[in-house]
Amino acid sequence: MKEELFVSGRNIPNIDPYLHIWHWQIPLYLYLGGLAAGILFFASYYVIVGKEKQMQTTVKWATIIAPIALILGLGALFWDLKHKLYFWQLYTTVRFTSPMSWGAWTLMAITPMSIIWVASYMREMFPKWDWKFEFLKKFEAWVIKNRVPFAWVMMALSIILGVYTGILLSAFNARPLWNTSILGPLFLTSGFSTGLAAIIWLSKDEHERKALSRIDLIFILVELFLIIHLFMGFLASSEVKAEAASLFLGGEFTVIFWVFVVILGLVFPVILESLELRGYHIPAWLPPFLVLLGGLVLRFVMVEAGQITRFLY
Amino acid sequence: MRYAMAIDTAKCVGCGDCVVACQTENNVPHGYCRDWIVENVTGSYPNVQIELRSERCNHCDNAPCVRCCPTGASHIVEGGIVLVTHNECIGCGACIESCPYDARYPHPDGYVDKCTFCKHRVDKGQNPACVDVCPTHCLHFGDLDDPNSDVSKALKNRKWKVLAPEAGTKPQLFFLT
Amino acid sequence: MKTRRQFIKISAAGAGAAAIGLHALDVKGLSILGKDSGYGPASDEELTPYPTYCEVCFWKCAAWAYVDKRGRIRKVIGNEDDPHCNGRLCPRGTGGVGMYYDEDRLKHPLIRETRPDGSPYFRKASWDEALDLMAEKMNKLRMEHGPECLALFSHGTGGKMISHLVKAFGSPNISAPSFAQCRGPREVGFTATFGEDVMSPERTDIRDTKCLVLIGSHIGENMHNGQIQEMSHAIENGATIITVDPRFSTAASHSKYWLPIKPATDIALLLAWIHVIIYENLYDKDYVQKYTYGFEELKEHVKNNTPEWAYGITTIEPEVIRRTAREMAAAAPATLVHPGRHTTWYGDDTQRSRAIAILNAILGSWGRRGGFYNPEKVHLPSYPHPPFPKPKRSWKDAYPPEKYNLVTEVLSTGICDATIPNPDLDCHLRGWIVYGTNLMASLPDQQKTLEAISHLDFLVVIDTMPMDITGYADIVLPECTYLERYDMLRTSPHREPVLALRMPAAKPKYDTKPNWWIAKQLAKRLGLEEYFAWNNIEELLDWQLKKIGSSLEEMKRVGVKKFKREYDDLFFLEGLPDYEFNTNTGKIELYSTSLEYEGHDPLPKYTPHPEPPEGYYRLNYGRAPMHTFSRTTNNHNLYDLMSENSVWINPKVADLWEIKNGQYIWLKNQDGIISSFPVKVRVTERIRWDSVYMVHGFGHTDKKLTRAFGRGASDSELVTKVAIDPVMGGTGMRVNFVTFIKENPRRKREEVES
């Protein structure tokens, strides 16, 4: 029988017996970040390919969610800090080895941009809207004129944002569950998929919804593919990784992951959306709701379970 | 100059003196510790072996906590000691997540704290508090680049190992077996 | 009048008021210094050192207490000149600051009162009131029954002053539980053999030994600082360590040989070793020839104690017994068979200590390097005082005459016996003073102690913490900790005579006073001032120091002073000079004439001891290096290291009982006593399947110990069966067996009643 234990009474709050430094704020932020990234990506994409008129919701209405999500996410992040008064130190330096630093700066760039994006469509969405000040009206005109380059920049930033939510975790290779390069693409795909789901839910345009559903279907299938490979990778890897995987294959996270994230969050939406594309009548809100739920639970489970896994003891 | 520590597991009795001495020297809050003792038991009665290890931050050469710090509060100073500048730390917890040895903890005052190799003593030519108090003399400290330092001599004649080498952090705490 | 002895939990009301004072730097949850935890380490330049010596255990390592500019004690570091610690304190010494900062300390004198409804409670009192009351009771006792009816239990340096007072008062009943409950058997066993005892600190030359045999000693878990340092030194020099222990102790893990002996069979192993060493001619012939008496009798006695015979009893293979015996002989005379310290196990402990002494003798280690050295201590003159009155009676009268002739110190259990009224005796002890020892945890058979207490006219407890014994007192006097007071100089025996000073590093907190002040104040009220003719203790210490060529001022500067030995006889038998031993025959008595004269076996015999019945396991207990008995369990620094004990259970036994690691269970012993609190289970391969192991000192029942209350279980309350050693009255405590109860036994009883 093997025993490994602390004999000097070590019992640090939130570290022993299992690490629990990040609570709900971080997974919420990752989720909202991914969601915003997805929405902004497709908004910029359709502007660039000139399909703005056909994809009104994508480009205009759904983007309102983005800044709200980003600000809420940033709020959650700020709340999680333990040394809040010094949060501004984040913005005194750029550290290329720290994904958290990229994240801070990317958010610093994309949040105002998303606000500007929405602001530039305000008069199209709410005809009575009036920018009171002259310089704002000038600014609006400038943005509308340069919408395509603006969209390129935003598309690039949204990809970085989406990938960053996954790379943030995979940079911590001390947590075996996160120590995989699949996490970045997985969270990116998930973020895009949830973004699409949000747009589909909001959209009233049949044509737009069909187009986006097709794309969403592909993303969900990619996500399933990545998840399967994630687990295959863990099981084939070192002991700590196999132990990490076992949390999901018989351990405490088995039910919540496979039921809520995979079956309800991925498999059901695939089936429902395929049926819808074939002409069956499905309640319009159901597939997007499941996708959104699945994405949220995925983030929570990964952050929670990841902190439980460890190299030693 | 590269500071490191060697822990002689053949002598350690797991008394916890290093833990208390660090707490009184560095005014560590109750309930937290910068170093700790791990007991590892293998075998079955009566063929049993135990290993007692006094562990702390490994002050790694390739420290993941320094790499992932978004503000640069976690940094390495001359001699390889990894430190945290309290008023640059935002308490994000990234460094805690990135340490495979779970050596860091969030201090009640907000910043992240850990073993500092008692830099305030090392700068004056003294040893860290834990090394100076250990009754079995099982802790050796010094400059790896100096062949006459306590730690270099300890490593020369004995077999040693590090913890979790597969994590790639290049830790500077050596356990003499 | 049994109701008077109801246990009173020291209430928070009286004690709480003073806690919210200017001294309240102790905010819960933060560092020892409280709110200012943001301040990092204090540089040594900003700290002032005060010399002291530690009082957390009896080793009394000299140290420096570092105080910062705001008068707060920050840390305690060992004094480098002190041979007890060589500059390095053990975890309890380093954590000693926790004793000073403990908010649960006794803060005011307390006097027991009774409410109209009959329930007892403690009332805060002034020192004058408390001391007046105590003196009144002592005077009454002296007049009605004689001063010999007073007894003192004392443990620690401060006890010296109180002992002085009690002797001046006229009582000879001064006891330290560490004799009958701990080292008594080995002192008597070694004195019977060598004419001298092992002393404290032990006169063992572990540093230079080439072969250290630990039979019933768990150095490394019992943190005798000097011994652990020396053992580490020995390991460094390649010494062979042989550990005999049913449990895989820390010492066993650093040993070349671990002999997993069946409990209660140690004498068989010792006899087998003696047999091998004699019959294979491995003993030190010159030494034996010159210094010992009774070799032929010994040889004849162990004729049949072969390793094969011992194998059947101890389960240790004969080849291993032979190999280890040969290792011991090869390293002789630098072979040390450690006498152990807590030797009160099964009732035949003096005989077992005799066997160890005999083994050392035939290996020739007594008086030689690597074995036992001859310590010397500084002889301080006592301050002049009138001669002590001669007592007419003593505790020994409770026993048949000549019963404990070989006993060299007062038996604490003897005091209990002498307190319980007996139709054969014309009087019994009526007043107890308890200084610095928690009798509920140090004496076995708690019911007997409580019964004795119920017959007392008064019980006074002097302590720093509200330990369990304080709940039974009539008067509780709060002493300040060792960091806040002067004390008598430490003059312990060691390789060189050495002196250590204790001076206060801070003013006494709350309304606490040092022992010398308490003694002197009592003396005034008892008319014994001439025995305390100095004005204050500094005057006394300076007087003593000046007589030996030093001064208080010098000691304050250096803390520790070493002197030259008077005689150059550290290893007095090196080279085999002529020597007369302090025994009947003038030689080392392998065959003990003094034991024979008292009617005991002159040579140790193996007697089998009762084994645990089905479903029961022998209760073994021991120490942890981060705690001293029950004294430190509330100390915040040490509590952080170990907050509760656990019961070690072998995995096969755990499987049988379906008990899991980390589960909490209750223990019930063979007399039906159930532990007050549940204890955590540690399933480990380090323990045999016929025994369980617990660290002593937990399971406190006094709620005022806010951290220690209810944590872990008390092994002392399960020690109800005691095996009395016929030679010296030692209380063998390893004869209790426990079984496991998985569900709360008290809840079950409540359910049935409702």
Side-chain angles (χ1 to χ4, degrees), chain A residues 13 27 49 54 99-100 110 156 165-166 174 186 196 224 233-234 252 277 292:
Chain A
V49 299
Q54 296 95 317
M100 220 168 223
I110 206 172
T165 57
L186 176 64
L196 284 170
L224 275 166
F234 280 146
E252 47 201 288
L277 286 172
L292 286 166

Side-chain angles (χ1 to χ4, degrees), chain A residues 22 83 97 307 310 313, chain B residues 41 55 67 89 92 97 102:
Chain A
W22 286 343
H83 214 202
T97 53
Q307 290 184 89
R310 61 212 304 179
Y313 326 123
Chain B
V41 183
E55 299 186 4
R67 274 187 283 123
C89 173
C92 69
E97 301 279 350
D102 286 336

Side-chain angles (χ1 to χ4, degrees), chain C residues 158-173:
Chain C
K160 287 196 203 144
M161 277 285 176
I162 314 288
S163 301
H164 186 82
L165 176 73
V166 170
K167 280 190 220 158
F169 187 73
S171 168
N173 306 317

Side-chain angles (χ1 to χ4, degrees), chain B residues 9-12 15 17 20 25 27 30-31 39 43-46 48 50 109 120 124 131-136, chain C residues 30-31 38-39 41 43 75 88-91 94 229 232 236 246 248 253-254 258 637 640-641 682 685-686 688:
Chain B
T9 61
K11 287 197 196 164
C12 175
C15 67
D17 212 349
V20 190
E25 174 77 31
N27 204 8
H30 282 300
E39 179 183 313
S44 79
Y45 193 97
V48 189
I50 67 177
D109 285 352
H120 62 284
K124 286 190 243 144
V131 175
D132 267 349
V133 85
C134 175
T136 59
Chain C
L30 294 183
S31 81
Y39 289 64
S43 190
K75 59 183 180 182
R88 291 161 185 246
L89 292 178
C90 81
T94 312
Q229 294 194 19
S232 183
E236 183 83 29
F248 190 71
S253 74
H254 294 322
W258 169 48
N637 288 19
D640 282 347
L641 286 181
R682 177 180 168 180
E685 295 280 1
R686 291 175 65 180
R688 265 176 90 92

